[in-house]
C-alpha cells in the first residue's frame, strides 16, 4: 500500500527576472491572477489534495510570501468594523495554521534539485509533493488531487505530464516512454531541456510531482546538469533503477505563468470563469480593438 502524501514543497526562491520591473521588490509568486497571488492557487491546490504541511523553500526578498500566509490583525479589525465579512473570509482562507508551515532558505540559486534538497530534513522518510507555483493548473479536479488519487496505482515517483509542441522541448524535462495507456506513462528515462534532436518524446514534466524520499540519496551528491544547475530531473532519472516512475496526463489546462503570455492568458481565462466579473469583462474585451 502506498503512503499518504502529507507534505508539500513549494520552491519559491527564483528571482523572476522575466517580470522585471514588477518583481524588483515583490516575489514573482505574489503576482496576482485576477485577485489572488499565484502562490495561493498552489497552496489551495495542495490543501484540496490533502496536504497538511507546507514547506516553502525561499530566498532573498521573499518575506511577502510569509506575511501573506500569516494573520493581519490591523486589516482584520478594520474589515470587522466595516462589516466586510466576505473580505474577512478571504483573509482567513490565506492564513495557514501555526506549525503547519515551514520556511527554509535556499541561500544560492543552484537549481530546482537543490531547492528540493534544502527541505530534506523536513520531509525525510516519507513521500512528498512538489508544486511549482509558476505552473498554474485550471482543472475541475485540482491537478495534485488527480495525482494523489492515481498514486496508489503507481507508488514511487509520479509527475504531471503535458504533451508540448516539438519546438518547446528545450524548456522542459522530457520523458522517455516505456508504455503509455493514454493517461499513465511508464517511464524508462528522462532528459532535462533537450533540443528537438535529443528529445526522446514530446511528453513534458510540468510543475507537479509526487516523489519518493529516495530522491535525496541522489540530490545529496549535488551533481550539476543542464545550465550548470542541480536538476531534479537528473536526480529522478538516477533513481529509475530502484524507484518506479510514472507520468500522468492530467485533465485540465496548464498556464505557464513564468512567461508573460502564459500569465496574461491565465488572467483572461480565470476572469472569464469568475461569476462576479465575467459578463462585464466580456463586454470590456469586445470593446478592445485588435
Ligand atoms: C522546471 C523543471 C523541468 C520542468 C519545468 C516545468 O524547469 O526543471 O523539468 O519541465 O520546471 O515547468 P524550469 O521551468 O524551472 O526551468
Amino acid at each position: 500500500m502506498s503512503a499518504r502524501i502529507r507534505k508539500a514543497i513549494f520552491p519559491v526562491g527564483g528571482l523572476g527576472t522575466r517580470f522585471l520591473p514588477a518583481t524588483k521588490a515583490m516575489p514573482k509568486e505574489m503576482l496576482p491572477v485576477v485577485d489572488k497571488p499565484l502562490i495561493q492557487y498552489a497552496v489551495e491546490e495542495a490543501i484540496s489534495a490533502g496536504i497538511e504541511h507546507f514547506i516553502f523553500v525561499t530566498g532573498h526578498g521573499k518575506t511577502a510570501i510569509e506575511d501573506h500566509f500569516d494573520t493581519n490583525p490591523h486589516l482584520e479589525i478594520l474589515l470587522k468594523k466595516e462589516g466586510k465579512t466576505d473580505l474577512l473570509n478571504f483573509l482567513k482562507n490565506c492564513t495557514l495554521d501555526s506549525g503547519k508551515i515551514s520556511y527554509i532558505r535556499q541561500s544560492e540559486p543552484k537549481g530546482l534539485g537543490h531547492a528540493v534538497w534544502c527541505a530534506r530534513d523536513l520531509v525525510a522518510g516519507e513521500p512528498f509533493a512538489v508544486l511549482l507555483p509558476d505552473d498554474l493548473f485550471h482543472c475541475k479536479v485540482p491537478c495534485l488531487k488527480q495525482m494523489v488519487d492515481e498514486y496508489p496505482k503507481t507508488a514511487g515517483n509520479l509527475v504531471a505530464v503535458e504533451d508540448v509542441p516539438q519546438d518547446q522541448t528545450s524548456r522542459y524535462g522530457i520523458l522517455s516512454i516505456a508504455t503509455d495507456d493514454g493517461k499513465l506513462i511508464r517511464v524508462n528515462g528522462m532528459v532535462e531541456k533537450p533540443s528537438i534532436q535529443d528529445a526522446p518524446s514530446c511528453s513534458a514534466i510540468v510543475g507537479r510531482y509526487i516523489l519518493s524520499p529516495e530522491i535525496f540519496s541522489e540530490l545529496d551528491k549535488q551533481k550539476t546538469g543542464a545550465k550548470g544547475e542541480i536538476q531534479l530531473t537528473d536526480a529522478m532519472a538516477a533513481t529509475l533503477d530502484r524507484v518506479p516512475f510514472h507520468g500522468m496526463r492530467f485533465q485540465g489546462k496548464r498556464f505557464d505563468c513564468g512567461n508573460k503570455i502564459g500569465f496574461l492568458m491565465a488572467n483572461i481565462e480565470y476572469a472569464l470563469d469568475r461569476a462576479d466579473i465575467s459578463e462585464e469583462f466580456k463586454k470590456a474585451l469586445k470593446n478592445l480593438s485588435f
Side-chain angles (χ1 to χ4, degrees):
M1 210 187 76
S2 58
R4 205 155 62 85
I5 312 299
R6 301 185 309 130
K7 300 183 179 183
I9 298 177
F10 301 82
V12 293
L15 291 177
T17 47
R18 284 189 209 152
F19 282 93
L20 281 171
T23 50
K24 185 177 173 215
M26 179 181 78
K28 63 173 172 156
E29 297 78 10
M30 290 301 292
L31 288 170
V33 169
V34 186
D35 51 11
K36 205 194 278 184
L38 279 170
I39 186 65
Q40 196 178 332
Y41 286 96
V43 165
E44 287 178 3
E45 182 183 332
I47 291 171
S48 68
I51 297 297
E52 294 164 3
H53 193 135
F54 306 83
I55 302 161
F56 291 80
V57 182
T58 73
H60 183 77
K62 299 284 180 166
T63 45
I65 296 177
E66 296 187 32
D67 289 339
H68 182 74
F69 290 109
D70 200 355
T71 50
N72 183 337
H74 289 304
L75 197 52
E76 280 170 32
I77 290 168
L78 193 83
L79 293 175
K80 236 179 242 163
K81 228 195 241 164
E82 293 177 356
K84 297 190 170 152
T85 35
D86 285 2
L87 293 179
L88 262 174
N89 285 336
F90 284 147
L91 285 198
K92 279 197 189 115
N93 287 344
C94 49
T95 306
L96 293 172
D97 289 346
S98 301
K100 299 282 182 193
I101 182 160
S102 307
Y103 296 93
I104 291 275
R105 207 78 181 197
Q106 184 187 24
S107 46
E108 285 173 273
K110 288 185 174 174
L112 179 58
H114 181 259
V116 170
W117 178 78
C118 289
R120 63 200 177 282
D121 287 346
L122 287 166
V123 296
E126 58 180 286
F128 58 96
V130 177
L131 297 95
L132 310 186
D134 279 1
D135 275 333
L136 178 60
F137 289 81
H138 197 209
C139 306
K140 267 198 197 117
V141 177
C143 182
L144 187 65
K145 168 87 172 89
Q146 295 180 38
M147 293 169 71
V148 164
D149 290 346
E150 204 64 18
Y151 185 66
K153 280 192 212 154
T154 66
N157 292 331
L158 178 64
V159 296
V161 168
E162 183 178 310
D163 295 309
V164 298
Q166 231 189 354
D167 62 356
Q168 289 183 14
T169 56
S170 61
R171 297 187 196 171
Y172 299 96
I174 300 290
L175 301 177
S176 166
I177 297 172
T179 60
D180 184 349
D181 72 4
K183 181 178 183 189
L184 265 191
I185 297 172
R186 199 162 55 76
V187 174
N188 58 14
M190 69 204 82
V191 194
E192 181 66 14
K193 301 191 170 56
S195 61
I196 297 187
Q197 295 79 21
D198 296 335
S201 75
C202 285
S203 296
I205 302 171
V206 284
R208 300 293 181 270
Y209 306 73
I210 296 177
L211 298 176
S212 146
E214 181 61 22
I215 195 82
F216 293 113
S217 65
E218 289 304 322
L219 291 175
D220 279 344
K221 296 178 187 162
Q222 304 274 293
K223 267 198 208 152
T224 53
K227 297 202 291 182
E229 293 179 348
I230 299 168
Q231 296 291 352
L232 186 59
T233 303
D234 296 345
M236 294 188 302
T239 62
L240 273 172
D241 58 351
R242 52 196 190 277
V243 181
F245 194 109
H246 291 83
M248 190 204 80
R249 289 195 183 85
F250 63 95
Q251 296 283 315
K253 238 191 216 175
R254 176 190 67 107
F255 294 92
D256 177 3
C257 291
N259 82 56
K260 292 186 185 82
I261 303 297
F263 176 72
L264 293 169
M265 292 309 292
N267 268 286
I268 292 173
E269 169 115 349
Y270 276 73
L272 290 174
D273 204 35
R274 276 270 298 262
D276 57 338
I277 56 171
S278 67
E279 284 314 313
E280 201 181 332
F281 186 49
K282 266 184 219 161
K283 276 188 209 143
L285 282 177
K286 279 185 189 141
N287 285 336
L288 280 181
S289 46
F290 289 93

